[in-house]
Amino acid sequence: MKEYFPEIGKIEYEGRRSEEPLSFKHYNPEETVGSSSMSDQLRFSVAYWHSFTARGADPFGAKTITRPWDEIDDPMNRARARAEAAFEFMGKMGLDYFCFHDRDVAPPGETLAETNENLDEIVSLIEKLMEEYDVELLWGTANLFEHPRYTHGAATSPNAEVFAYASAQVKKALEVTKRLGGSNYVFWGGREGYKTLLNTDLGLEQDNLARFLAMAVDHAKKIGFEGQLLIEPKPMEPTKHQYDFDVEHVAAFLRKYDLEDHFKANIEANHATLAGHDFHHELAYARENDLLGSVDANQGDLLLGWDTDQFPTDVYGTTLAAYEILKNGGLAPGGLNFDAKVRRESFEAQDLFLGHIVGMDSFAFGLKVAQRLKEDGVLEEFARERYSSFRGEIGEKIKDPDTDFEVLEEHVREKVSEPIELESGRQEKLKGLLNSYITTTG
Ligand code: XUL
Ligand code: CO
């Protein structure tokens, strides 16, 4: 088989003092952290679309990236070469998982039937490559945002034919995901939202989205797909207001339509920050609501108001994310998918490797710090103390369903003397503590 990245060999773990850029400084797949190996805890995945299909175009400029397979004219031959290159990359990086949209892997045909034939053919090749490279599918999804038919939305389009088309596309994408043994299936509603309420029936659009998801649940069941279904929140871009704004919106939507038993959230760091939340907040909110399913690992630029999808390098962010993941008891069957792209200025093949290396190392390092934090229980102990009054007499009374405002008023009259003594939140101390854990982890 042709080699697509001949200048780059297998990326090895060399330790934190290594000066070799094409090596792992912290990610040592077999090393045990807590209850299992780093690779089992982190479950890294490559995003097919950013790394093998997209080519660095942005709204202001043309493509800047040309990989060897991009030079092949015939779209099916190009798709075959792209698949071979993608798996060579995963093999060299030691990535155990990948994620894809239906349209990333195979070109569309003239009709839906032809499109599905193209997809089936490339999926057969991918099936062989997965076996050969021992790589698994973390999740599959359908691209319901790129084609002009989805201009006004897919499941929330005002046009019922478009709704039907999107349903047919998801039906096939679910089937293909099952065929490849995918652990999850993702719904990201890129165009499920609105640009102006002046032309939008918000109530009908939400009902339609729920109907669409309910049919997806039924179809998954019908074909015996046992993977986890995930909704990926994002507040905006490309729409002004996306219906799956953040985890809290998703939770409310699922509860309203009785879908909460069937879905979890796929949380993306850059989407969290676009929604005005820390990544940490979204993970914690999901965990507390039993919705933490999987993660799209990336980071944004807080000075830019859009989804820049950069590889994660901020070790504070990865530490706190890993801390939530550990508190969740891991992510499986979810994982950490690098929904991240190299900058359009970083157009060489080695940049693709370097981006994943720094992302994997940042999470591996974060995991090591988070494991120490969790083992020592310093943050948990502080919080336990902070809420200790809820384990005292009045706290227990508040939990008692027979307690009402009158009982509490009586308590205040009889037992509370002003000023109530409060304790410091010690944010600065805790941040210093976090710094110490980060700076003393090897
Ligand atoms: C877009 C985004 C998508 C989803 C899959 O912002 O994150 O790539 O992850 O459709
Ligand atoms: Co994403």
Side-chain angles (χ1 to χ4, degrees):
M1 205 191 292
K2 181 176 155 68
E3 203 179 352
Y4 294 88
F5 305 104
E7 70 283 17
I8 295 173
K10 175 108 176 71
I11 307 299
E12 306 287 356
Y13 168 70
E14 291 188 7
R16 62 202 283 250
R17 302 213 179 272
S18 169
E19 287 177 11
E20 169 55 62
L22 288 164
S23 76
F24 293 119
K25 318 295 176 298
H26 295 281
Y27 182 59
N28 185 10
E30 308 304 326
E31 186 180 322
T32 303
V33 177
S35 55
S36 53
S37 68
M38 275 195 189
S39 61
D40 282 355
Q41 299 254 28
L42 295 165
R43 298 168 63 82
F44 287 132
S45 155
V46 64
Y48 209 96
W49 55 101
H50 283 313
S51 291
F52 309 110
T53 309
R55 300 181 52 193
D58 76 5
F60 303 95
K63 297 163 183 156
T64 58
I65 295 171
T66 303
R67 308 281 185 225
W69 56 92
D70 291 322
E71 284 163 336
I72 302 171
D73 283 338
D74 175 68
M76 281 301 277
N77 283 339
R78 187 161 64 240
R80 286 184 197 100
R82 175 185 290 128
E84 288 170 2
F87 281 85
E88 179 191 323
F89 177 80
M90 292 178 230
K92 288 184 168 169
M93 285 298 307
L95 282 156
D96 297 325
Y97 298 91
F98 73 110
C99 294
F100 74 105
H101 299 83
D102 46 4
R103 303 295 175 257
D104 306 330
V105 295
E110 294 289 319
T111 60
L112 182 65
E114 218 181 276
T115 301
N116 286 353
E117 266 170 43
N118 289 350
L119 184 57
D120 282 334
E121 198 183 318
I122 301 299
V123 163
S124 298
L125 171 63
I126 288 180
E127 210 169 16
K128 278 198 219 111
L129 291 164
M130 285 170 70
E131 179 84 35
E132 188 181 325
Y133 286 90
D134 195 18
V135 167
E136 289 179 42
L137 176 60
L138 185 66
W139 51 261
T141 188
N143 179 332
L144 302 178
F145 43 90
E146 194 173 336
H147 193 280
R149 83 173 69 82
Y150 298 125
T151 299
H152 303 291
T156 62
S157 170
N159 184 313
E161 305 280 16
V162 173
F163 182 104
Y165 202 105
S167 306
Q169 198 178 324
V170 168
K171 173 180 178 290
K172 181 69 182 173
L174 274 165
E175 289 162 8
V176 161
T177 301
K178 171 176 156 51
R179 178 173 164 200
L180 295 176
S183 303
N184 307 269
Y185 182 90
V186 162
F187 295 86
W188 170 62
R191 297 207 184 269
E192 316 295 23
Y194 62 81
K195 291 274 171 63
T196 171
L197 281 176
L198 298 179
N199 65 13
T200 301
D201 185 338
L202 190 140
L204 178 65
E205 291 200 1
Q206 296 230 327
D207 289 350
N208 284 348
L209 182 56
R211 176 84 193 99
F212 177 78
L213 293 172
M215 284 195 279
V217 169
D218 289 345
H219 193 68
K221 198 166 167 207
K222 197 182 220 170
I223 62 173
F225 174 65
E226 285 172 1
Q228 185 171 257
L229 301 178
L230 301 167
I231 295 182
E232 183 175 324
K234 186 175 182 182
M236 65 197 68
E237 196 199 4
T239 59
K240 180 178 101 167
H241 179 99
Q242 230 152 282
Y243 292 132
D244 305 322
F245 191 96
D246 59 4
V247 178
E248 195 171 351
H249 275 68
V250 169
F253 177 88
L254 293 175
R255 285 178 197 135
K256 175 177 176 191
Y257 292 101
D258 247 349
L259 289 166
E260 69 267 37
D261 291 344
H262 304 288
F263 292 89
K264 292 207 187 292
N266 181 38
I267 298 170
E268 179 162 329
N270 204 164
H271 295 182
T273 47
L274 284 179
H277 299 307
D278 291 331
F279 182 30
H280 190 191
H281 166 88
E282 285 290 80
L283 293 168
Y285 195 89
R287 183 176 58 71
E288 290 291 351
N289 285 276
D290 197 20
L291 279 170
L292 182 48
S294 199
V295 168
D296 269 7
N298 62 16
Q299 73 184 34
D301 183 323
L302 294 181
L303 298 183
L304 299 175
W306 65 91
D307 195 13
T308 59
D309 284 337
Q310 298 170 53
F311 279 93
T313 53
D314 164 21
V315 292
Y316 279 79
T318 58
T319 296
L320 294 172
Y323 186 60
E324 283 306 317
I325 292 168
L326 287 175
K327 276 169 118 178
N328 194 57
L331 273 181
L336 286 170
N337 170 48
F338 289 111
D339 193 350
K341 59 187 177 214
V342 287
R343 302 302 83 195
R344 69 196 292 273
E345 303 84 355
S346 306
F347 44 75
E348 290 180 9
Q350 81 160 268
D351 295 311
L352 193 57
F353 285 82
L354 294 167
H356 285 83
I357 290 170
V358 71
M360 291 160 83
D361 269 340
S362 300
F363 263 97
F365 178 73
L367 179 71
K368 289 192 276 188
V369 183
Q371 177 62 30
R372 287 182 58 212
L373 275 171
K374 190 166 164 273
E375 259 166 33
D376 295 354
V378 280
L379 297 177
E380 271 156 349
E381 185 46 43
F382 186 86
R384 210 183 122 71
E385 232 355 83
R386 191 164 181 238
Y387 294 90
S388 57
S389 60
F390 279 88
R391 296 189 302 278
E393 188 200 332
I394 184 61
E396 289 302 334
K397 214 176 237 177
I398 288 171
K399 284 182 230 157
D400 179 349
D402 291 335
T403 298
D404 60 11
F405 278 179
E406 281 171 12
V407 175
L408 298 178
E409 185 189 43
E410 197 183 306
H411 172 85
V412 172
R413 285 208 176 129
E414 285 172 12
K415 303 207 174 149
V416 176
S417 53
E418 291 267 46
I420 298 178
E421 214 177 294
L422 299 179
E423 273 165 24
S424 167
R426 297 264 190 270
Q427 178 167 325
E428 296 73 11
K429 175 185 166 182
L430 296 173
K431 289 208 164 164
L433 192 67
L434 183 57
N435 276 357
S436 305
Y437 271 83
I438 290 175
T439 52
T440 55
T441 297

